Amino acid sequence: MSQRSDPLERVLRAQQRFSTASLETPSETIQRVGWAQPALSACLRAAVELKLFEKLTSVPKSSDSLANEVGASPLLIARILRHLNAEDVVAEPEPDTFVAHLTQALTEPRYSQGMVYTYDVAGLSFRQLPAYLKKTDYEMPTKLEDGPFQFAHNSKVPFWVWLAENDYLDAFNAYMAGYRQGKPVWTQDGFYPVTKRLLSNKTSDDEVLLVDVGGGMGHDLAHFKSEFSQAPGRLVLQERPEVVDSLKTLPGGIEAQKHDFFTEQPVQGARAYYLHSVLHDWDDESCIKILQQLRPAIKAGHSKLLVNELIIPDKEAHWSATSMDFLMMVLGGIRERTEAEWRRLIEKASFKVEGIWTFEPGAESIIEAS
């Protein structure tokens, strides 16, 4: 699957989306949104469960043959494949004969399991959102343990607790890996100037260069290490004990440390403390508490706070940012923030915003503070 980082490609994709929407009649829009897209999601979910995509190759196969391989009704498989072809997921070179198209990517766990997570977990939450809003007289959801997610899934625990209790944690982790595939990386050219902003101050090999707070499986630090392998200083990944215990391997030069970011930061005087997609999971009060735990560790004139998050623009927001904002709503009663909201939040935690770097519309931004 393409990395999709070329600027011209991004412009052409935006124009294609606009052209599709502007050329549709109202009836066609209702058909697409009302049942074509839900049917696509359902077909993809069923195909993943049947491992249908693993059976599709560059060699044409009939729906009967594929149905036999996956053990399903031939007519059902034919109908699923017809819609997947109509949506350009598979190709149909001859009548009732299909070959792989986008389906090679859907054999990878980061995409196939991502489909499981988005349909089973997030999808149900979205489908029940109107009923939840009506029930609450259209109040803004703000409660982590009593919001659209709990209403949809008949639960009383936060969604990440529910994931672990219902065997969806692996699917969620796979989804996150797939979600970040092809997206701009904060260290790449044209995004945040790492060399100028982080590496200009001399850091010894014994000192900590970068602390990834709540850094998950260490993907960001691994990428940083590959891009700046000669940079002096230690790289520290901090995560909950169960996450650290689950780590099988980390690239050389990356240390894993068990840490709760609601407690005081144990690493003092690092060059940078980096939080990627951490704060958007929490309300303002919790975010301020998280940031305040970092404040005592900051070395004046040396340390930086780096927040990697979506920023909703004041006008003409990109669909990927607005849809992520709604995903945050249905999962945790939380939201993505505007630039003004981010500035207020960071300043309330006794930091000063030094600059904001954004690579492209709809992508994440780096907020640097001190």
Side-chain angles (χ1 to χ4, degrees), residues 23 106 115-116 127 175 181 226 228 234 289 326 338 369:
L23 292 174
L106 290 169
M115 191 67 235
V116 171
R127 291 190 291 276
Y175 154 78
Q181 180 67 22
S226 68
F228 301 97
R234 294 155 53 201
K289 289 179 180 178
F326 265 86
T338 65

Side-chain angles (χ1 to χ4, degrees), residues 82-197:
R82 279 201 297 266
H83 191 54
L84 293 179
N85 173 67
E87 296 283 2
D88 293 323
V89 178
V90 303
E92 187 179 15
E94 299 291 340
D96 194 42
T97 303
F98 302 90
V99 295
H101 183 34
L102 296 180
T103 50
Q104 288 302 305
L106 290 169
T107 62
E108 300 179 36
R110 59 184 170 177
Y111 300 120
S112 62
Q113 290 305 299
M115 191 67 235
V116 171
Y117 164 74
T118 54
Y119 190 85
D120 293 7
V121 181
L124 181 60
S125 302
F126 274 119
R127 291 190 291 276
Q128 292 295 318
L129 178 61
Y132 171 83
L133 294 175
K134 184 177 181 179
K135 173 178 174 288
T136 60
D137 293 326
Y138 296 93
E139 291 290 329
M140 176 66 72
T142 58
K143 295 180 180 178
L144 185 63
E145 297 181 356
D146 185 18
F149 178 85
Q150 287 74 24
F151 177 79
H153 292 273
N154 191 27
S155 173
K156 295 188 180 299
V157 298
F159 92 97
W160 57 78
V161 175
W162 185 94
L163 291 176
E165 292 178 349
N166 291 272
D167 295 327
Y168 280 102
L169 194 55
D170 288 343
F172 174 76
N173 289 332
Y175 154 78
M176 288 304 300
Y179 168 76
R180 290 176 177 170
Q181 180 67 22
K183 292 185 180 297
V185 180
W186 69 286
T187 55
Q188 72 185 62
D189 290 341
F191 203 158
Y192 180 74
V194 172
T195 300
K196 180 181 179 180
R197 305 295 299 182

Side-chain angles (χ1 to χ4, degrees), residues 253-323:
I254 298 178
E255 308 167 28
Q257 184 180 70
K258 297 176 181 180
H259 176 59
D260 175 358
F261 48 54
F262 282 105
T263 63
E264 186 172 338
Q265 173 57 236
V267 178
Q268 301 289 306
R271 177 61 170 149
Y273 298 89
Y274 172 78
L275 296 90
H276 187 183
S277 298
V278 170
L279 300 179
H280 80 160
D281 285 338
W282 299 93
D283 60 22
D284 287 0
E285 182 181 354
S286 298
C287 287
I288 291 170
K289 289 179 180 178
I290 292 169
L291 293 175
Q292 286 176 335
Q293 300 305 321
L294 295 170
R295 185 71 258 180
I298 297 292
K299 180 180 178 181
H302 176 71
S303 299
K304 297 177 183 291
L305 169 68
L306 299 178
V307 175
N308 189 343
E309 293 280 3
L310 277 175
I311 297 179
I312 304 291
D314 294 331
K315 182 182 178 182
E316 299 291 338
H318 194 270
W319 67 267
S320 63
T322 56
S323 60

Side-chain angles (χ1 to χ4, degrees), residues 199 205 207-212 220-226 228-229 231-238 250-257 272:
L199 305 183
D205 289 335
E207 293 176 312
V208 176
L209 172 61
L210 186 62
V211 180
D212 191 350
D220 282 19
L221 279 185
H223 187 86
F224 185 93
K225 181 67 176 177
S226 68
F228 301 97
S229 59
R234 294 155 53 201
L235 304 177
V236 179
L237 170 67
Q238 293 181 337
L250 281 174
I254 298 178
E255 308 167 28
Q257 184 180 70

